[in-house]
Amino acid sequence: MRLTFIKKDLTRHRLISIGLTICIMMTSFLATSAAQMIVQLNGSISDLLHLAKAPDFVQMHDGTLNEKDIETFSSKQPMVKAHQIVPMIPIEHTNIRFGHEQAKAGVMDHLFVKQNRYFDFLLNEQNEKLAVNKGEVAVPIYFQQKYQLKIGETLLIEKGSNQFSFRIKAFLRDAQMNPSLVSSKRFLLHHEDWDALHQLFQKKEYLIEFLLHDATQADAFQAIYQSSQLPQQGPAVTLPLLRMLNAMTDGMVIAILLLVCMLLMSIALLSLHLAVTASIEEDEREIGILKVLGVPLTKIKQLYVGKYAVLACSGCIAGFGLTLLFGDRFTSNIQRYMGNQPSFTSWFIPLFVSIMTAMIVIYCSYAILRKFGQISAAQALQGGVITPNDKKQIPLHLKKNRFIPINIWLGLKDLLSRKKLYTTITCIIALCTFLMLMPIQLLHTLQSPDFITYLGSGKSDLRIDIRKGNHLEKSTNDIESMIREDRDIRASTLYETSSLQAKSMENTLETLYLETGDLSAFPLSYLQGRQPLNKEEISLSVLSADSLQKEVGERITLVTNGQQIQRTVTGIYQDVTNGGKTAKAISQPISQPALWKTIQIQLKPGVEMAVKKAVFEKKIPLGKVTDMQEYVDQTIGNTASLVKVVAFSSTLAAFGTATLMLFMFLHMLKAKDSSRNHMLRTIGFSIKHVTAQYITSFIVVLSFGALIGTIAVHIIGPALMSIGGASLGVSSLQWLAPQWVSIVYPITLFIVSLAFTALLLKTFFSSQTTRHTLS
């Protein structure tokens, strides 16, 4: 009996069953895909860090060093298991060619290294320790994707009449420098080639690396190292930070997928409520007959729960199948940069998530049917199983209506009489709007020129980075002289970055990267307080303020070259560069050499940025010239590209889901209002009149749904994104999308939904009722 009932009911409500199954399938697909990404990301990162033997603490250093001092320090520290010093040769993009294509200027440093002996290995695409022969080079995956490189192509390094040609043997994975957020990339050479290259490019930078007996003591060891007088002219990172940087790009996509999944699950459960309600109201007389015949209530419930169990299981199985077929598209970036490590959990956990999704749907269908126990057989035979008092009397009298057309008035009265019923579809439209608009807002925010403020820099047109070792002072003076003579430039400012230390509340020392210059020329947006206005003031990034436990108005002690100076914290801003621990001031507290210098430029209106950038690149071979949009793209480009895919998919899902839910809702109304509509047709209302009444109700419902969803995106959305960004230094994300985004997309959803509603109403009424007379 049960199987016969399920089969007949599914056949009778074929389209509703298909729509509900599709909604459950998409929910299951996204949930299992997110679970698969989490498992894959966690396993791949752990495997990469393990096989590469990633260091627990790394101090980058740009300058000279004494290896004996580091060896002495390491031998006296019981935490240290091993240490090594990794020399790197930095080479400017102007000296590098990939095949016949000149390397492009950008934020990335090109660092050439030898394979390490003890730990911090560079790996191939099978996560095996790389070895290259003389005349060969291994190129980072980042540049493989940027320049579409292939094995066997040539990498040329030129300086004057000297030229080195290397055949690309492999594309490497680097546990330290894989992410695009890290603005340095390592190329692997044979040791003889490296020595020959060093004869021509004598400038070196260093990685001072430590393995600890207990990796959990990395933060404590960092405090000890940075309290010493050892080399530390550059950023420092720990193993947890390396793990976080590797996880950021795909982690953001996982967060969005989980959010989309929860929205779809909410829509699916609301849709389930509509489907159950519609089905039972159609079958109310049959239910009454079954109760009169003595069929137990539990048996009746099982008939309906069985039907939705079939739909839930079918949808979840299909969703899990889609994950097996297309899940690699979500994990392709993880597999490319960190490797694929198939394991039992990589398919078991997504399967478990799919099963849990089905169980949630089945449980909710059972919960909806609980109200059966409150309905007697007589009530069921009379009708009104689910909503016996659905319509409430609204004090709107037709004889008092003088201004509103009768059909609009009847539509509004019906809407107010059945607020609970229409609230369900309003919530569904609001969720669909949120589902569509949230990823789109995030995408436009990541692509906005103003997003540079989250990277610790003011908004400008062009940025020129000048690094130490390239005759820093002379290069800077030459560039500044050229800029002063350029009539296309409206404003420019020089900023210097140096390294110093600050005392924490526990009296330990932490390294800060202090940028100084005219902060009012290209101002930042501050979360708290304001920018420094005099030499006695300083502002801190979010992570610096949290680490040092400083608030606006408090004093901070800066330490450099054995001297201590106090400054007042005037503001806190957001920054994700250099590990997120930076500071800003108008001048250096103590005169010391700069690590690097940056010139920000604002062009006059009408000046082509691309043309001016090309001119600067030719005239400034010793500096990196980037426009600020390019700077953002190179830093978070991978993240933005993945968010773009999610945004497109979410938009399609929102339109598709809204369409399916409107169909189900209207199908329910068709059954629910058959008597009402028959009466209206009998007393003289035409199909056009009745349709106008429903259209009136749906205009209000769709408008409110789209408006509520849009408001929720602007209120809740930034808070949700800020939760994920807090650990990276972005604790207060605001949408930077153009205003038209919040208008065009919801209006488009409204128009499409209303047009679909009108089409369905026309179809329903053309096949349902004919005019009757009172005779």
Side-chain angles (χ1 to χ4, degrees):
M1 174 183 173
R2 186 181 306 172
L3 292 176
T4 303
F5 173 83
I6 292 173
K7 183 178 179 180
K8 288 185 176 180
D9 198 65
L10 291 176
T11 303
R12 184 177 54 169
H13 302 110
R14 187 180 298 109
L15 293 177
I16 289 180
S17 299
I18 292 173
L20 190 57
T21 303
I22 291 174
C23 190
I24 295 171
M25 178 187 71
M26 291 304 299
T27 304
S28 173
F29 172 55
L30 292 177
T32 52
S33 295
Q36 186 183 53
M37 282 191 73
I38 293 172
V39 174
Q40 180 75 60
L41 183 62
N42 182 65
S44 294
I45 290 177
S46 298
D47 196 65
L48 177 67
L49 296 177
H50 172 71
L51 294 175
K53 293 189 177 180
D56 297 308
F57 174 75
V58 180
Q59 175 64 60
M60 302 176 188
H61 179 66
D62 187 355
T64 59
L65 56 76
N66 188 330
E67 294 189 17
K68 290 185 178 180
D69 292 340
I70 298 172
E71 289 178 4
T72 302
F73 169 82
S74 180
S75 63
K76 292 181 179 180
Q77 291 298 326
M79 293 189 214
V80 176
K81 180 179 180 181
H83 85 281
Q84 67 184 11
I85 300 172
V86 180
M88 304 180 293
I89 303 174
I91 299 180
E92 296 296 334
H93 69 279
T94 53
N95 302 111
I96 299 174
R97 283 182 178 275
F98 293 100
H100 298 291
E101 184 177 359
Q102 176 70 48
K104 298 174 183 177
V107 299
M108 295 299 170
D109 293 326
H110 305 75
L111 304 172
F112 289 79
V113 300
K114 299 175 285 187
Q115 183 64 279
N116 295 318
R117 181 180 298 180
Y118 304 111
F119 56 95
D120 186 25
F121 302 128
L122 301 178
L123 308 179
N124 61 18
E125 293 181 276
Q126 289 72 47
N127 279 356
E128 299 167 342
K129 183 180 176 181
L130 254 173
V132 296
N133 299 318
K134 189 174 180 181
E136 295 178 336
V137 63
V139 177
I141 290 176
Y142 176 89
F143 289 110
Q144 179 206 7
Q145 294 189 323
K146 181 176 181 179
Y147 296 104
Q148 301 298 310
L149 301 176
K150 297 179 180 179
I151 300 294
E153 292 186 341
T154 302
L155 184 148
L156 295 175
I157 299 176
E158 302 170 315
K159 185 176 183 182
S161 59
N162 298 288
Q163 184 181 87
F164 293 86
S165 177
F166 301 103
R167 175 184 172 273
I168 298 178
K169 179 184 179 180
F171 300 106
L172 65 83
R173 291 181 177 139
D174 186 342
Q176 285 196 55
M177 300 181 181
N178 255 347
S180 58
L181 275 175
V182 179
S183 59
S184 300
K185 295 289 177 279
R186 289 190 284 185
F187 296 73
L188 180 63
L189 294 176
H190 187 268
H191 65 90
E192 292 185 17
D193 290 328
W194 191 91
D195 292 337
L197 199 63
H198 184 229
Q199 296 299 317
L200 189 61
F201 298 89
Q202 296 185 357
K203 168 70 172 68
K204 286 194 296 186
E205 296 179 6
Y206 299 92
L207 297 176
I208 306 169
E209 303 177 338
F210 296 88
L211 274 182
L212 306 180
H213 290 288
D214 184 0
T216 60
Q217 294 183 317
D219 290 336
F221 180 78
Q222 180 180 12
I224 294 172
Y225 183 92
Q226 294 181 339
S227 298
S228 69
Q229 299 301 314
L230 293 174
Q232 42 192 297
Q233 297 298 304
V237 295
T238 59
L239 188 61
L241 181 58
L242 289 178
R243 179 179 288 274
M244 182 184 70
L245 290 173
N246 276 292
M248 180 185 177
T249 296
D250 297 285
M252 182 175 290
V253 176
I254 290 172
I256 299 173
L257 279 179
L258 289 174
L259 176 62
V260 171
C261 175
M262 287 189 289
L263 291 172
L264 278 177
M265 175 60 80
S266 301
I267 293 171
L269 295 180
L270 288 172
S271 305
L272 180 69
H273 185 275
L274 284 178
V276 173
T277 303
S279 180
I280 294 175
E281 290 199 354
E282 280 193 59
D283 300 338
E284 54 190 3
R285 292 187 62 82
E286 288 79 358
I287 294 171
I289 292 171
L290 290 174
K291 296 190 77 171
V292 168
L293 293 174
V295 178
L297 182 63
T298 55
K299 294 291 185 181
I300 299 176
K301 288 183 180 180
Q302 288 173 5
L303 291 175
Y304 286 92
V305 172
K307 168 191 171 182
Y308 295 108
V310 170
L311 297 181
C313 292
S314 300
C316 288
I317 291 172
F320 181 69
L322 288 176
T323 300
L324 296 178
L325 291 174
F326 304 108
D328 285 347
R329 298 198 176 189
F330 289 104
T331 59
S332 60
N333 191 67
I334 300 173
Q335 295 177 21
R336 188 68 182 141
Y337 276 86
M338 288 172 278
N340 181 23
Q341 297 301 321
S343 63
F344 173 74
T345 56
S346 64
W347 65 266
F348 174 76
I349 291 181
L351 177 62
F352 176 76
V353 170
S354 182
I355 293 172
M356 289 301 299
T357 303
M359 291 181 65
I360 290 172
V361 174
I362 294 170
Y363 173 79
C364 289
S365 66
Y366 188 83
I368 296 170
L369 293 167
R370 284 180 181 173
K371 58 187 70 179
F372 268 5
Q374 304 170 2
I375 305 298
S376 66
Q379 286 177 311
L381 288 171
Q382 293 173 3
V385 174
I386 298 298
T387 52
N389 298 316
D390 181 54
K391 281 205 171 190
K392 295 182 180 180
Q393 295 299 320
I394 301 297
L396 291 178
H397 302 290
L398 183 59
K399 64 181 180 179
K400 296 182 180 180
N401 173 48
R402 298 180 181 179
F403 306 104
I404 304 176
I406 181 64
N407 290 309
I408 295 178
W409 183 87
L410 287 174
L412 293 175
K413 188 174 188 300
D414 183 61
L415 176 64
L416 294 174
S417 299
R418 300 191 288 188
K419 293 190 294 290
K420 186 175 181 180
L421 180 65
Y422 280 102
T423 296
T424 303
I425 193 65
T426 303
C427 291
I428 289 175
I429 297 300
L431 289 171
C432 287
T433 305
F434 196 100
L435 171 66
M436 171 187 65
L437 205 53
M438 176 81 169
I440 291 174
Q441 285 280 357
L442 179 60
L443 175 63
H444 281 276
T445 297
L446 295 177
Q447 294 178 335
S448 170
D450 293 333
F451 191 75
I452 191 66
T453 58
Y454 293 112
L455 302 179
S457 178
K459 184 181 177 183
S460 63
D461 291 327
L462 295 174
R463 171 189 175 110
I464 302 175
D465 290 282
I466 314 158
R467 294 284 174 171
K468 186 175 179 180
N470 293 325
H471 308 288
L472 186 61
E473 293 299 329
K474 184 179 184 306
S475 299
T476 304
N477 293 335
D478 292 344
I479 294 171
E480 284 191 295
S481 177
M482 184 187 70
I483 289 175
R484 282 194 295 268
E485 297 173 0
D486 195 320
R487 297 182 179 180
D488 292 335
I489 295 176
R490 185 171 69 180
S492 66
T493 302
L494 172 69
Y495 297 99
E496 296 184 0
T497 301
S498 60
S499 174
L500 48 74
Q501 294 176 316
K503 278 190 176 182
S504 67
M505 296 293 289
E506 290 78 20
N507 237 13
T508 58
L509 296 179
E510 296 192 12
T511 297
L512 287 180
Y513 300 98
L514 177 66
E515 184 176 80
T516 57
D518 184 1
L519 302 178
S520 62
F522 299 96
L524 288 173
S525 298
Y526 284 81
L527 291 179
Q528 301 175 34
R530 56 169 174 81
Q531 67 186 27
L533 299 178
N534 57 60
K535 296 181 180 180
E536 298 300 317
E537 296 177 340
I538 192 173
S539 60
L540 300 175
S541 67
V542 171
L543 291 186
S544 293
D546 290 344
S547 179
L548 297 169
Q549 300 177 8
K550 296 295 181 182
E551 300 286 345
V552 172
E554 295 183 349
R555 302 281 284 176
I556 183 173
T557 301
L558 304 177
V559 180
T560 180
N561 297 328
Q563 301 183 53
Q564 296 187 11
I565 295 178
Q566 288 198 332
R567 293 288 184 264
T568 301
V569 178
T570 62
I572 296 175
Y573 60 92
Q574 302 184 106
D575 191 0
V576 299
T577 59
N578 296 308
K581 295 186 178 181
T582 61
K584 308 279 185 183
I586 63 173
S587 64
Q588 291 285 349
I590 301 173
S591 179
Q592 58 180 333
L595 292 175
W596 62 82
K597 297 188 180 184
T598 304
I599 299 176
Q600 288 188 244
I601 297 172
Q602 189 74 35
L603 300 176
K604 290 181 179 179
V607 179
E608 286 290 337
M609 190 184 305
V611 174
K612 181 57 64 176
K613 176 176 176 288
V615 171
F616 281 154
E617 286 177 346
K618 291 180 180 179
K619 292 184 177 180
I620 309 173
L622 298 179
K624 293 181 182 178
V625 184
T626 53
D627 67 67
M628 298 312 280
Q629 185 59 55
E630 181 184 18
Y631 181 82
V632 174
D633 290 343
Q634 291 185 23
T635 305
I636 59 167
N638 286 341
T639 302
S641 62
L642 289 172
V643 171
K644 188 180 224 178
V645 174
V646 175
F648 178 75
S649 302
S650 297
T651 301
L652 290 180
F655 278 92
T657 303
T659 302
L660 286 171
M661 297 310 106
L662 284 170
F663 176 83
M664 292 175 58
F665 187 73
L666 285 167
H667 192 278
M668 183 191 72
L669 287 183
K670 175 185 174 182
K672 192 180 185 69
D673 295 347
S674 59
S675 299
R676 168 188 177 274
N677 294 334
H678 179 80
M679 181 193 69
L680 290 174
R681 296 284 286 122
T682 300
I683 62 177
F685 282 87
S686 67
I687 291 177
K688 183 178 179 181
H689 294 153
V690 178
T691 302
Q693 296 171 23
Y694 282 107
I695 289 294
T696 299
S697 300
F698 275 91
I699 287 176
V700 176
V701 166
L702 295 174
S703 299
F704 266 97
L707 180 62
I708 292 170
T710 303
I711 293 173
V713 167
H714 284 274
I715 294 177
I716 303 174
L720 292 175
M721 291 297 99
S722 297
I723 293 172
S727 61
L728 298 169
V730 183
S731 60
S732 180
L733 180 69
Q734 298 297 321
W735 296 138
L736 301 176
Q739 292 184 352
W740 64 262
V741 171
S742 298
I743 299 173
V744 171
Y745 284 96
I747 288 179
T748 302
L749 180 64
F750 169 82
I751 292 173
V752 171
S753 300
L754 188 62
F756 181 74
T757 300
L759 178 64
L760 281 180
L761 287 171
K762 182 179 178 180
T763 303
F764 284 164
F765 285 123
S766 64
S767 62
Q768 181 182 19
T769 57
T770 57
R771 185 182 295 272
H772 295 269
T773 58
L774 295 171
S775 57

